[in-house]
Amino acid sequence: MSMIHSWKNQKAGQKPYVIPSRPESLVSIVELMKAQEPNTEQIAAILRKDVYLYSSVLAAVNVPVFALNHKITDINHAITLLGLDRLFSIVRLAALKNSLSTTERLDRFWDSATEVAEICASIAVKYTGLDIHTAYSIGMMHDCGIPLMLESHPDFKAFLREANAQDLLSLQNDEQKRFGSNHFQVGAEIAHLWYMPDSICEAIAYQPTVITVLEGTLPCSDEGKLLLSVLTLAKDISTVYRRFWRIYDSSEPVPQLSVVLEYIGLPDIEYLDLREDFISLLESREND
C-alpha cells in the first residue's frame, strides 16, 4: 500500500465543505510540468498573465528566510535561480493561499501560519536535508483545513475557542463527532487536490498522531516523518511565543516533543537554546 493511501483511508466523513477550484493558470503549469523538459518560457508567460500569482511568487521568493543572494524581480530570473520544481512549489502555495483567503477574514491565521513556516524552514535547513521550500509549505498549509471548516460551519470558530489547549487527537475526534469531518483530514485533501507532494499531505493529516507515526505504527514516508517532526517543533516554538493559532495556545508541555527530538537527533538542551533564540528573534521583530 502506498503512503498516500494510508492517510486517505482516514475518512473525513461528510463533506459539507467545498474545496476551492484550482485556477486555470495552475492547471496549465501542471500540464507543462509533466513534460520531460518543461518549457520555461511558456510557464513564465502563464505567470505574467496572472497578476496575483506573478506578484505573489516574486514576494514569496524574496522572503528573507530563503536567504537568496540577489533580489528577484522577474519570473525568468526566479526560474534561473530556483529551478522549476522550487518555483512550482511557490506557485502552488500562493494560489492556494489566495483561494482560501476568500472565505473569511484570516489575517491573524495567515500571520501565525507564516511565523510557523519561517521557523519550519530554519529548522529544516539546520537539522535535516529537507528542501527549504517544502518545509516552508508545510508550515503555511498545516492548518489549511480550518478556513473551509469556518466557512462550512458557523459554529466552528466558537468550537475552536472552547477547545483551546486540547490535545490534537481529542480535538480531531471531537471535530469528527460534531461536524462529520476534521480540519486535519480536510487540509490533507486540499493539499492533495492542489498538487502538494504526498509528504506534505501525510504531515498535515498525521499531526494528531505524531508519536504513533514516528514509532512506525502508521505507514508514513521518511520525508513525511521529517516534515511532521519539523512542524511539531515549529508549532511548539510559536506556541511558547504566544502567537500561534488559538487552539494550540497552551502552557502545557507538548508530550510528543521528546519523541520528535529523538527522531531528528536533536538534544533537549540544544533545542531549548534554539527555542530561546527564535523567541528572541520574534520579539525583536515585534519591537522593530
Side-chain angles (χ1 to χ4, degrees):
M1 179 173 64
S2 70
M3 295 305 171
I4 193 70
H5 287 155
S6 62
W7 68 260
K8 285 183 107 176
N9 286 338
Q10 296 182 20
K11 301 299 183 183
Q14 302 170 5
K15 293 190 177 182
Y17 55 89
V18 177
I19 294 178
S21 300
R22 298 160 294 194
E24 184 179 341
S25 53
L26 180 64
V27 176
S28 298
I29 291 173
V30 168
E31 289 302 312
L32 290 173
M33 290 288 289
K34 292 178 181 178
Q36 187 171 356
E37 294 185 9
N39 189 311
T40 58
E41 288 298 329
Q42 288 183 332
I43 292 174
I46 291 171
L47 291 174
R48 288 193 186 94
K49 293 177 182 178
D50 189 316
V51 176
Y52 176 82
L53 273 188
Y54 184 87
S55 59
S56 295
V57 166
L58 292 183
V61 169
N62 289 297
V63 168
V65 70
F66 296 138
L68 297 175
N69 294 327
H70 307 286
K71 183 175 178 63
I72 298 178
T73 59
D74 179 75
I75 289 297
N76 290 91
H77 191 193
I79 293 174
T80 300
L81 288 180
L82 296 173
L84 279 176
D85 287 339
R86 286 188 167 188
L87 181 76
F88 181 52
S89 176
I90 294 172
V91 170
R92 217 169 34 206
L93 186 59
L96 181 53
K97 179 182 175 182
N98 182 48
S99 294
L100 291 175
S101 295
T102 62
T103 59
E104 287 244 356
R105 183 171 178 79
L106 296 171
D107 294 345
R108 184 176 174 228
F109 175 85
W110 289 119
D111 286 347
S112 296
T114 300
E115 181 176 289
V116 174
E118 291 180 352
I119 298 172
C120 280
S122 297
I123 293 175
V125 167
K126 190 169 184 180
Y127 297 103
T128 77
L130 290 169
D131 176 74
I132 189 171
H133 293 280
T134 303
Y136 188 87
S137 293
I138 187 58
M140 287 295 296
M141 304 316 302
H142 69 280
D143 270 342
C144 66
I146 286 181
L148 286 195
M149 294 293 285
L150 288 170
E151 181 183 40
S152 303
H153 305 286
D155 55 340
F156 188 71
K157 184 178 291 185
F159 167 82
L160 288 183
R161 292 198 184 100
E162 294 168 4
N164 191 27
Q166 190 177 23
D167 71 90
L168 297 191
L169 187 56
S170 296
L171 176 67
Q172 181 186 49
N173 292 336
D174 287 350
E175 283 185 38
Q176 194 71 38
K177 290 177 183 176
R178 184 162 172 178
F179 303 106
S181 54
N182 66 83
H183 79 268
F184 303 103
Q185 189 64 24
V186 172
E189 291 179 15
I190 294 171
H192 177 58
L193 290 174
W194 277 70
Y195 311 113
M196 295 284 178
D198 291 357
S199 58
I200 288 182
C201 301
E202 291 174 329
I204 292 173
Y206 286 153
Q207 289 175 81
T209 53
V210 176
I211 295 176
T212 308
V213 169
L214 295 185
E215 289 179 346
T217 305
L218 282 173
C220 184
S221 66
D222 290 341
E223 181 169 279
K225 290 178 181 178
L226 274 179
L227 285 172
L228 190 57
S229 299
V230 167
L231 175 61
T232 301
L233 298 182
K235 290 194 296 184
D236 176 62
I237 292 169
S238 187
T239 298
V240 173
Y241 185 58
R242 300 181 183 280
R243 288 194 59 204
F244 193 60
W245 191 244
R246 288 185 63 90
I247 59 175
Y248 304 114
D249 186 14
S250 170
S251 59
E252 296 296 319
V254 180
Q256 58 263 39
L257 273 185
S258 58
V259 177
V260 169
L261 292 174
E262 182 179 354
Y263 183 79
I264 64 176
L266 180 59
D268 294 6
I269 299 300
E270 187 174 347
Y271 173 65
L272 292 176
D273 289 341
L274 175 71
R275 187 167 69 180
E276 288 303 313
D277 289 342
F278 271 117
I279 291 171
S280 296
L281 175 62
L282 293 170
E283 287 176 343
S284 66
R285 287 184 184 177
E286 191 72 23
N287 295 327
D288 285 344

